[in-house]
Amino acid sequence: MSYRSRKTQAIINLSALKNNYDKIAGLAPLSKTIAVIKANAYGHGAIEIAKSLHSLVPAFAVAFIDEAMVLRNAGITLPMLILEGPLDKEDFELAKQHDFWLMLHNSEQISWLNQQQPTYNEKLWLKIDTGMNRLGFSPEDAEQVIANLTDEQKKELVLCSHFSNADEINNPKTPAQISCFKVIADKYSCQLSMANSAGIINWPESHTNFNRLGIALYGTNPSTTIKNMPVKLTPVMTLQSTVIALRELNIAECVGYGETWQAKQASVIATVAIGYADGYPRHAQSGTPVFINNQLAPIAGRVSMDMLTVDVTNIANVKIGDLVELWGENLNVETVAEHINTINYELLTRVSARVPKVYINE
């Protein structure tokens, strides 16, 4: 029997998802915009997200083959780009069977490719390191790799790179990366891919054959320096819970583990049914906002495993059962992230499996 007494849940708005895709893809109309749904679609549920976008996108991208196989087993048939490429030589056989596009970025992967018999002719991506210094071949090494590919492999080859600072509009690193990439790209007739979410929005010169749309797809700003986005995005996830208890405190009384919050006046504290076991960060400080009864209210004291406490002294008529939004439609996840000294990516992806997802189309 399925029964839920606790009302903590993540509302996933699939209409917002599709609208966000259309708006961001519209900024680069000459590109094919791949939807990145790694890490369980940034915490939104990869299978449902893929089903919702299936008719809109040319392909999906995931981190590794395990994620792609979950989607294939769920009936998702579009091509899938494997961003970390093959992590074992057996991955090439799976890629052939399931229409996976492998992104190659190191010499061992090239060695595995050369061991494939008969010749491996599936679509390949080759990653060029233009300054991220994480994955990829140097431009010089990439030229040697390309030279050793077969004509058939070169025909479908996509050259790609990844930005380190595309979210910072005034940072000179991104133009330098674009220039570095174009030096090698201009030598070949391959298809190209550079732009992530921030690249699509901030750097039109990075728009190429394929763009890779990640965080902005889910309705949150990928940039730390752009406050007024060129398109209005709608948050896809609204994380919410309810008030399960109310306490009246006298001056100097404390709340929670370690007594880190002390009442400076007669106060009302609401206990909310969500905690770090649900993915809400334990290190969220007092003062981090939540949204309740159309107002912002600050967290008071430490986040517990299953609960957190909120100072609702200045909010009238709070009662047990009232909805509390941790982030979403009324409280941007990036605002919460700033208070917690983290990023929107981390908050979305760390929502735990015990928080049910409810999918809506509104």
Side-chain angles (χ1 to χ4, degrees):
M1 181 181 73
S2 178
Y3 176 71
R4 287 177 51 208
S5 62
R6 193 176 77 144
K7 306 306 179 187
T8 303
Q9 58 189 6
I11 307 295
I12 309 298
N13 187 335
L14 298 176
S15 291
L17 175 82
K18 290 179 279 193
N19 287 336
N20 291 338
Y21 178 84
D22 286 340
K23 289 176 180 178
I24 298 291
L27 296 175
L30 301 181
S31 302
K32 295 178 181 178
T33 298
I34 294 172
V36 181
I37 57 173
K38 63 179 179 175
N40 200 26
Y42 291 58
H44 293 70
I47 292 172
E48 293 299 328
I49 295 300
K51 288 178 178 178
S52 182
L53 293 174
H54 208 272
S55 64
L56 296 178
V57 306
F60 294 113
V62 296
F64 42 88
I65 277 189
D66 310 52
E67 292 185 325
M69 289 302 298
V70 169
L71 293 163
R72 279 289 181 265
N73 293 335
I76 305 303
T77 59
L78 284 178
M80 293 187 202
L81 171 62
I82 312 300
L83 295 168
E84 293 181 1
L87 303 179
D88 187 282
K89 63 183 178 181
E90 304 303 323
D91 288 353
F92 283 91
E93 186 58 37
L94 285 172
K96 283 197 293 187
Q97 292 176 18
H98 296 286
D99 194 19
F100 298 154
W101 302 347
L102 297 177
M103 183 180 288
L104 306 180
H105 55 79
N106 66 46
S107 58
E108 187 168 27
Q109 293 172 337
I110 298 300
S111 176
W112 293 336
L113 173 66
N114 293 336
Q115 295 172 29
Q116 299 303 305
Q117 295 295 335
T119 303
Y120 186 89
N121 289 325
E122 309 304 312
K123 178 172 281 190
L124 293 170
W125 287 49
L126 189 69
K127 191 159 199 174
I128 314 298
D129 183 8
T130 57
M132 181 76 165
N133 291 317
R134 191 176 60 176
L135 298 178
F137 296 95
S138 70
E140 297 75 23
D141 289 343
E143 293 194 47
Q144 185 61 50
V145 170
I146 295 169
N148 290 331
L149 296 177
T150 67
D151 290 342
E152 193 68 23
Q153 289 166 342
K154 292 176 187 176
K155 187 184 301 182
E156 288 293 309
L157 184 65
V158 179
L159 299 181
C160 65
S161 193
H162 192 60
F163 293 127
S164 58
N165 298 83
D167 59 322
E168 300 170 5
I169 193 63
N170 296 315
N171 194 311
K173 180 67 175 289
T174 301
Q177 286 191 265
I178 294 171
S179 297
C180 178
F181 185 69
K182 288 189 173 179
V183 167
I184 186 168
D186 287 346
K187 297 179 180 180
Y188 302 95
S189 58
C190 303
Q191 297 181 85
L192 308 174
S193 177
M194 280 208 89
N196 54 3
S197 288
I200 298 171
I201 294 167
N202 294 340
W203 305 95
E205 60 270 41
S206 73
H207 300 173
T208 54
N209 301 95
F210 292 98
N211 297 329
R212 307 184 304 273
L213 174 58
I215 191 70
L217 175 62
Y218 306 99
T220 183
N221 191 338
S223 178
T224 59
T225 58
I226 299 295
K227 300 303 181 185
N228 297 313
M229 295 275 281
V231 292
K232 180 174 174 52
L233 302 179
T234 303
V236 175
M237 178 192 291
T238 295
L239 182 64
Q240 64 183 33
S241 187
T242 56
V243 174
I244 61 170
L246 291 164
R247 286 282 185 280
E248 293 185 0
L249 269 61
N250 297 317
I251 294 175
E253 287 192 294
C254 299
V255 173
Y257 290 117
E259 298 189 331
T260 61
W261 186 91
Q262 186 178 60
K264 294 181 172 58
Q265 61 180 341
S267 302
V268 180
I269 298 296
T271 301
V272 182
I274 192 168
Y276 60 78
D278 303 294
Y280 195 92
R282 182 181 179 275
H283 65 275
Q285 298 294 310
S286 295
T288 301
V290 303
F291 186 81
I292 179 171
N293 289 4
N294 296 312
Q295 294 184 60
L296 296 179
I299 287 177
R302 288 181 182 165
V303 175
S304 303
M305 183 180 291
D306 314 297
M307 295 171 276
L308 55 79
T309 42
V310 179
D311 181 2
V312 295
T313 306
N314 297 318
I315 301 178
N317 302 318
V318 175
K319 55 188 181 300
I320 291 175
D322 282 352
L323 281 178
V324 179
E325 181 179 308
L326 290 307
W327 62 69
E329 186 176 351
N330 299 291
L331 175 59
N332 290 335
V333 66
E334 52 262 36
T335 299
V336 180
E338 287 176 9
H339 280 269
I340 301 177
N341 194 30
T342 186
I343 55 175
N344 43 13
Y345 297 76
E346 183 181 10
L347 293 183
L348 294 173
T349 58
R350 72 184 299 164
V351 175
S352 78
R354 81 168 184 173
V355 177
K357 296 179 180 66
V358 177
Y359 295 92
I360 62 172
N361 279 285
E362 290 183 358

